[in-house]
Amino acid sequence: MGKFTLRFRPYILEMKHVFTVASFSRTTTPIILTELEYDGVVGYGEASMPPYLGESQESVVNFLNKIDLSTFSSPFDTEEILHYINNIQEQNTAAKACIDIALHDLLGKLMEQPFYKIWGLNPNLIPPTSFTIGIDTEEIIRKKVAEAAQFKILKVKLGLDTDKMIINTIRSITDVPLCADVNQGWKNKELALEMTHWLAEHNVVFLEQPMPKEQLDDMAWLTERAPIPTIADEGCQRYGDIIRLKDVYTGINIKLMKCTGMREAKKMVELARALDMKVMLGCMTETSCAISAAAQLAPLVDWADLDGALLINNDVFDGMKISDGECRLPDRPGIGIHPLLPIHDI
């Protein structure tokens, strides 16, 4: 019978390039690094807060300060612990995810197994990860594409009046398959449909969140007519969202920071499969902690977009590696990471 100790501290991720999508640009991402200790064993977690989630370092710290794990005697009471965490306060999905990730890392270390093995998954089935090319000038796009030469699929941010320039610039350099993420940037369904046909002609294999998440009828109309699959991102946050998106999108993009972590993410995969929907596993700008946590699920999905740690200059964990565009999971217990520095020294 042990005792839980929760520690956390803020950290700022520095982007290698200005990161621009249809609605904003940024050069940093605030995160909270978390340690959950039990009987001398430490699990690591992370909350990443891009602007659209509505969370901040302050809100995550306020949430974590409300947590009291003294009533739980074992980390193996996973369902009860995460049910308690989920009910402390509504929303706060990234704050909840950092506890979920740390708990899974802790459990794997106590069982001395990687979590993908605990779930009975084969890491050789992880699809190649995409690498993200943000909205930028023609010159910078060329530079980014050159840097991404190892990747077998690229994810391209669209949603402004530069969409065709971006695709044409990439196509002048490489013919690798593309996935396009519009981040709700298209408002007119007829023009969106026209673009889907143009993108399909340029080997874009699927389209992520083309229209505002509120325009469900327009999205269903577009999905029915589009020559390529449509994937809900901002439009699908948690498990309870999936049922109403059947026939509105072809599939969903699951991110740990949106859905409160690994436990709910796995349940979302299972429900989406039951509904015959495609599944993409994505990420925010994150360290190798959250990326490695998501990668434990990656053998279950159709598409992986797990490049978040490659977009930053100051990762503080060693974890999942990407080689020739393929995700390589370390054979370490838990989520497979170790800190490059003690968290309290960062």
Side-chain angles (χ1 to χ4, degrees), residues 203-217:
N203 197 20
V204 173
V205 295
F206 68 87
L207 187 62
E208 190 179 344
Q209 201 62 56
M211 304 188 72
K213 62 183 181 180
E214 299 83 9
Q215 294 180 217
L216 292 178
D217 290 343

Side-chain angles (χ1 to χ4, degrees), residues 126-227:
I126 299 176
T129 182
S130 56
F131 181 82
T132 302
I133 308 294
I135 296 171
D136 222 311
T137 64
E138 184 175 342
E139 178 184 358
I140 298 299
I141 289 169
R142 288 180 179 277
K143 181 180 179 181
K144 290 178 177 178
V145 172
E147 291 173 356
Q150 68 163 306
F151 292 88
K152 300 169 184 176
I153 182 170
L154 298 178
K155 177 174 176 175
V156 185
K157 295 289 188 176
L158 301 179
L160 301 179
D161 57 7
T162 54
D163 288 353
K164 289 191 176 182
M165 178 277 288
I166 291 172
I167 298 297
N168 286 330
T169 300
I170 294 171
R171 281 289 165 252
S172 71
I173 304 168
T174 179
D175 60 359
V176 298
L178 305 177
C179 50
D181 185 1
V182 187
N183 289 116
Q184 308 182 83
W186 299 343
K187 307 301 190 290
N188 181 285
K189 65 182 183 181
E190 286 83 8
L191 293 177
L193 180 60
E194 183 180 316
M195 277 297 295
T196 63
H197 284 277
W198 186 85
L199 291 172
E201 292 170 0
H202 290 76
N203 197 20
V204 173
V205 295
F206 68 87
L207 187 62
E208 190 179 344
Q209 201 62 56
M211 304 188 72
K213 62 183 181 180
E214 299 83 9
Q215 294 180 217
L216 292 178
D217 290 343
D218 289 343
M219 264 312 312
W221 182 93
L222 179 63
T223 296
E224 184 179 5
R225 293 162 177 79

Side-chain angles (χ1 to χ4, degrees), residues 209-210 212-213 215-224 230-232 235 242-251 277:
Q209 201 62 56
K213 62 183 181 180
Q215 294 180 217
L216 292 178
D217 290 343
D218 289 343
M219 264 312 312
W221 182 93
L222 179 63
T223 296
E224 184 179 5
T230 62
I231 306 297
I242 298 175
I243 292 288
R244 66 185 178 87
L245 299 180
K246 168 72 172 169
D247 299 324
V248 176
Y249 299 87
T250 314
M277 298 179 76

